[in-house]
Amino acid sequence: GAGVSQSPRYKVAKRGQDVALRCDPISGHVSLFWYQQALGQGPEFLTYFQNEAQLDKSGLPSDRFFAERPEGSVSTLKIQRTQQEDSAVYLCASSSPGAAKETQYFGPGTRLLVL
Amino acid sequence: LAKTTQPISMDSYEGQEVNITCSHNNIATNDYITWYQQFPSQGPRFIIQGYKTKVTNEVASLFIPADRKSSTLSLPRVSLSDTAVYYCLVGFSGGYQKVTFGTGTKLQVIP
């Protein structure tokens, strides 16, 4: 594809509701990252996949956050029992590691508002 | 992960050259320096990356002194569309490494 796409672009959830955010990386990109960006702050790392393997989930803020990439392409970030502090923009990025520089290509993000 | 320090904000008039400096005193031998640009309601976009001396592309130049403890992103003749947040990142290139964005520098270009 032309770039990383994310859906939905905006999501409003009631506190306690479960949400699922989707990321379609650039075709062929092995690496996939999820970030959380609070208003006025830089993106903060959540988790990293290499193909279908989740190699680093150290940034996930609680066990309510869960990410998967079952076939090594599309990824879903799921947040269970959403809380108001989960309100943020969730960014997905993909890259293709190799001998050269590993540049991350970001999607437009999903803006989540928890009421 | 090497920590970076950059100004919180900068203002510049249209047509001027803008230089944004980033400090990274504990940069490691294998670390590359990467700059991203982020517009409102968009994800960050890669601008430029370098290891030492000078790198130039169609968008910007990156100056890295010999000790590599700082770097300067140079944007020639900025326009209003360059108004954005600019992030300096330091990390190993050639494989996975969790990167830290920091708060970035908010550049406001004034007509």
Side-chain angles (χ1 to χ4, degrees):
Chain A
V4 179
S5 61
Q6 294 186 245
S7 61
R9 290 295 313 276
Y10 303 92
K11 177 70 178 177
V12 179
K14 293 182 179 178
R15 191 175 58 177
Q17 193 175 1
D18 297 349
V19 298
L21 312 180
R22 177 187 169 106
C23 172
D24 284 82
I26 293 173
S27 178
H29 276 193
V30 169
S31 299
L32 186 145
F33 304 80
W34 282 99
Y35 294 86
Q36 180 189 60
Q37 186 170 25
L39 191 63
Q41 302 296 315
E44 298 225 356
F45 170 85
L46 292 177
T47 188
Y48 162 71
F49 288 87
Q50 187 176 93
N51 295 306
E52 69 278 4
Q54 189 175 18
L55 299 186
D56 188 344
K57 53 182 180 180
S58 62
L60 296 176
S62 76
D63 58 7
R64 296 185 296 103
F65 287 71
F66 173 75
E68 60 183 6
R69 194 185 186 198
E71 297 179 358
S73 55
V74 172
S75 177
T76 303
L77 176 66
K78 298 179 179 178
I79 309 173
Q80 297 176 325
R81 304 180 304 281
T82 53
Q83 303 295 315
Q84 287 185 323
E85 61 263 28
D86 300 334
S87 295
V89 175
Y90 291 86
L91 294 163
C92 174
S94 70
S95 67
S96 182
K101 303 132 187 150
E102 187 175 336
T103 301
Q104 294 186 28
Y105 297 87
F106 284 80
T110 294
R111 185 175 296 274
L112 173 65
L113 177 62
V114 181
L115 302 176
Chain B
L1 298 174
K3 182 180 176 181
T4 60
T5 303
Q6 49 184 127
I8 293 174
S9 64
M10 294 180 69
D11 291 339
S12 176
Y13 287 102
E14 263 192 305
Q16 290 192 327
E17 178 184 77
V18 170
N19 295 309
I20 306 174
T21 297
C22 178
S23 297
H24 28 80
N25 290 318
N26 59 340
I27 187 170
T29 304
N30 288 337
D31 284 346
Y32 277 72
I33 300 153
T34 310
W35 285 79
Y36 281 82
Q37 174 193 56
Q38 187 176 28
F39 298 113
S41 301
Q42 294 187 25
R45 182 176 74 106
F46 171 86
I47 302 177
I48 197 166
Q49 185 179 69
Y51 183 79
K52 62 180 180 181
T53 62
K54 176 184 174 182
V55 179
T56 297
N57 62 22
E58 65 278 5
V59 177
S61 294
L62 178 60
F63 298 92
I64 305 168
D67 66 6
R68 305 199 328 120
K69 293 185 183 300
S70 67
S71 59
T72 299
L73 174 72
S74 180
L75 305 173
R77 300 178 298 282
V78 293
S79 64
L80 295 177
S81 62
D82 292 317
T83 294
V85 178
Y86 293 82
Y87 295 98
C88 165
L89 284 72
V90 173
F92 172 69
S93 183
Y96 160 67
Q97 186 185 45
K98 183 166 62 178
V99 293
T100 302
F101 273 80
T103 54
T105 297
K106 185 171 184 178
L107 172 66
Q108 181 69 50
V109 179
I110 306 164

